[in-house]
Amino acid sequence: MGTRRKRSNRQPELFARSMKPVIAIETNHRLVRLTHELDWTELEEVVEEIRARKLKNGAGRPPHLRALIGAVVFRATRRITYRETEDQIRGLTESEWSPDANTIQDFEELLGEDGMKRLNEYVVTEAVEEKLADPKVLVADTTAQEAVIPYPNEMNLMATFLTAIAAASTRAGGALKAFGAAMATKFAAGKKRLRGFRLFAKEKSKQARMKLTSEMTNVVEEVQRHLARALRAAEPHKQRLVKYAKVAHAKAKQLHDAMTKLLPQIRYWIKTGFVAANKVISIHIPELYSIVRGKAGKKVEFGLHWGISRLRGGFLLARVAANRRELVDARFAVTAVDDHIALFGKAPRGYAYDRAGHSEENVALLKAKGVKHVGLAPRGRIKWSVRGAMKDKLVTERAQVEAGIGTVKHSKYGFTKPAARSASAMAMCGQRAVLGFNPHEPVVSRSDHPPSPNGKPRRIRFRRPNFRASSN
């Protein structure tokens, strides 16, 4: 009688197969080229310097910096979530350790905007050393980084405040829980007025809509007064809060501070019909502001202001504005050169900017800083400071910064409308998008290509993605 094969055992081999995959990747793959071109040891030294500056001490296990830096660079090259990044890395690597989603997120938060900017500056300086970028020619422009927020009208802002404070008060300690229970009727009244405004306001007159807005403002002011008392009562006991209770208490205080600034602005709008200066446009991210762009179909954008500088060769450097007035065109036209001097040690020979940055004072100041060919586009009938072939060269380079900004804003990199819940996280996402844009796949590597007829090594040109560049 023959041996009967068990149904549960259908393995054809005598010995079990290896569970560790062997991945074959083409040598000209973008990630392979990127791995070979970057000096990862020097990158680790840069990150160690950033960590030493931000951490209080070196307690704890030593981090896997090589894997974490690789995860950040990989995530920068495409817009994916932390969970997707974790899965992709585990599928690409054969090492015994790979970072999980929480570890990658914590590492990016540790780096922050300044750390990402430092990594990007390292990549650009490496490109200059490899003759991939030319720091002698610089162009610059400003752009807006839009935030994922609803349109900031008064009713929406006040409704968002009521919803957020009702949720935070349930988990922020005894004093705020009592406040939330006492304000339940006010929260319901706010919902009723919001529903009436959204469903029936279009059919009513302007006076009726303004009356609903005024009634909603009265409700919010009452909630604010009780919230201030609850926060004062909870202040002596906030050290006892742990985990989510501590986060909820901080959120309640942040909401109170934002609404304290917003309520007078809403009252001013109800009284005069004009928007107050420096109006708060987001309860959750009060650092955001409106940026007037004057574009067709989108005159105003809501988010953060950025300055973008482009070296000849296509590499970008980015700088986020600390406030809405820091990087206006008239100032950034000079600030971009100052940043260039700080990074490379000397001013560019040729520099171009659009007409928004032009003035006789700026032209004289840039020449005093060492810029030989100042290509600020003149206003009206004023003559150019440069002419001939140099003028044509700077005009051509100036046009290409628009394409670079448009490409960074493509959904692949996530510069605009990032999944961020704070202004600092938005700034970090912006620098990460620029970091992902810069180290693009070279058409050929220097070692694989024969030298040119004159004996000099051929220049490596980076292949830019064929995206349709949107306007900045």
Side-chain angles (χ1 to χ4, degrees), residues 139 394-404:
V139 294
L394 292 179
V395 169
T396 301
E397 292 291 332
R398 169 64 188 84
Q400 294 184 40
V401 72
E402 302 281 354

Side-chain angles (χ1 to χ4, degrees), residues 113 117 120-121 306-309 316-320 339 415 430-431 434:
E113 184 270 336
K117 181 180 179 182
N120 192 48
E121 289 175 347
W306 285 75
I308 305 294
S309 302
L316 302 181
L317 292 166
R319 176 191 179 100
V320 64
D339 293 342
F415 179 87
Q431 291 289 357
V434 177

Side-chain angles (χ1 to χ4, degrees), residues 134-353:
D134 184 6
K136 295 180 181 179
V137 178
L138 177 71
V139 294
D141 199 3
T142 59
T143 190
Q145 181 189 26
E146 291 186 88
V148 187
I149 59 173
Y151 192 85
N153 64 52
E154 284 68 19
M155 287 295 287
N156 283 342
L157 289 170
M158 290 188 288
T160 301
F161 167 77
L162 292 177
T163 302
I165 198 62
S169 62
T170 61
R171 311 182 71 176
L176 286 174
K177 283 183 181 180
F179 153 80
M183 291 292 103
T185 56
K186 296 295 181 182
F187 296 151
K191 289 182 180 179
K192 182 179 179 180
R193 283 165 177 77
L194 176 66
R195 184 165 55 250
F197 184 86
R198 288 180 174 175
L199 296 180
F200 309 113
K202 292 183 179 180
E203 301 175 359
K204 296 183 179 181
S205 63
K206 181 179 179 180
Q207 291 182 349
R209 294 196 299 270
M210 295 298 287
K211 182 180 178 180
L212 284 171
T213 304
S214 181
E215 291 175 355
M216 185 71 154
T217 307
N218 293 335
V219 172
V220 172
E221 286 180 340
E222 184 69 17
V223 172
Q224 271 284 92
R225 284 194 291 270
H226 286 81
L227 178 59
R229 296 194 199 104
L231 287 173
R232 285 196 296 270
E235 186 67 22
H237 310 288
K238 69 177 184 179
Q239 300 298 333
R240 302 177 184 177
L241 301 177
V242 295
K243 296 184 179 180
Y244 293 108
K246 185 183 295 185
V247 175
H249 181 274
K251 184 64 177 180
K253 190 174 186 306
Q254 182 259 317
L255 290 170
H256 176 265
D257 294 341
M259 187 51 67
T260 300
K261 184 178 180 181
L262 178 60
L263 274 174
Q265 297 174 340
I266 295 176
R267 286 295 187 191
Y268 177 82
W269 179 77
I270 294 174
K271 182 179 180 180
T272 65
F274 295 98
V275 178
N278 302 321
K279 180 190 172 185
V280 175
I281 64 171
S282 174
I283 291 296
H284 294 293
I285 315 178
E287 298 88 353
L288 302 180
Y289 42 84
S290 58
I291 305 168
V292 179
R293 305 296 294 172
K295 298 188 295 187
K298 191 183 286 186
K299 295 183 179 180
V300 180
E301 294 177 334
F302 304 104
L304 300 176
H305 209 186
W306 285 75
I308 305 294
S309 302
R310 179 185 184 274
L311 304 183
R312 188 180 184 188
F315 288 80
L316 302 181
L317 292 166
R319 176 191 179 100
V320 64
N323 55 68
R324 69 178 69 209
R325 295 182 179 85
E326 182 186 14
L327 294 184
V328 294
D329 288 292
R331 295 180 182 176
F332 184 64
V334 178
T335 303
V337 174
D338 291 336
D339 293 342
H340 188 88
I341 295 174
L343 183 60
F344 297 106
K346 59 182 179 180
R349 287 177 56 85
Y351 176 60
Y353 203 93

Side-chain angles (χ1 to χ4, degrees), residues 51-73:
R51 290 183 71 252
R53 188 172 66 249
K54 294 190 175 185
L55 294 179
K56 295 181 180 179
N57 54 59
R61 296 180 180 179
H64 300 265
L65 286 184
R66 174 63 181 84
L68 290 171
I69 297 171
V72 169
V73 174

Side-chain angles (χ1 to χ4, degrees), residues 4-157:
R4 185 177 179 182
R5 186 176 181 182
K6 295 182 180 180
R7 290 180 177 271
S8 60
N9 186 9
R10 300 187 180 183
Q11 180 178 309
E13 292 89 0
L14 180 60
F15 300 101
R17 294 181 180 180
S18 172
M19 299 302 294
K20 294 184 179 180
V22 178
I23 305 171
I25 305 177
E26 296 182 3
T27 56
N28 62 348
H29 191 277
R30 177 184 177 185
L31 296 178
V32 175
R33 293 287 184 90
L34 187 62
T35 302
H36 293 162
E37 292 295 332
L38 293 179
D39 188 339
W40 297 97
T41 303
E42 190 169 349
L43 267 176
E44 287 188 31
E45 295 174 357
V46 171
V47 172
E48 278 286 9
E49 178 185 345
I50 297 171
R51 290 183 71 252
R53 188 172 66 249
K54 294 190 175 185
L55 294 179
K56 295 181 180 179
N57 54 59
R61 296 180 180 179
H64 300 265
L65 286 184
R66 174 63 181 84
L68 290 171
I69 297 171
V72 169
V73 174
F74 173 72
R75 181 168 152 76
T77 59
R78 61 205 66 207
R79 188 177 189 175
I80 55 178
T81 65
Y82 291 107
R83 294 293 180 190
E84 292 171 338
T85 305
E86 175 186 350
D87 294 339
Q88 290 283 344
I89 292 175
R90 287 184 177 176
L92 288 173
T93 182
E94 298 179 9
S95 62
E96 296 295 334
W97 185 91
S98 62
D100 59 15
N102 293 334
T103 305
I104 300 172
Q105 183 178 7
D106 291 344
F107 183 66
E108 287 191 355
E109 289 180 359
L110 173 66
L111 291 178
E113 184 270 336
D114 55 337
M116 287 288 184
K117 181 180 179 182
R118 179 69 184 88
L119 292 180
N120 192 48
E121 289 175 347
Y122 167 77
V123 171
V124 174
T125 53
E126 282 290 297
V128 170
E129 292 182 4
E130 293 294 328
K131 308 301 181 183
L132 303 175
D134 184 6
K136 295 180 181 179
V137 178
L138 177 71
V139 294
D141 199 3
T142 59
T143 190
Q145 181 189 26
E146 291 186 88
V148 187
I149 59 173
Y151 192 85
N153 64 52
E154 284 68 19
M155 287 295 287
N156 283 342
L157 289 170

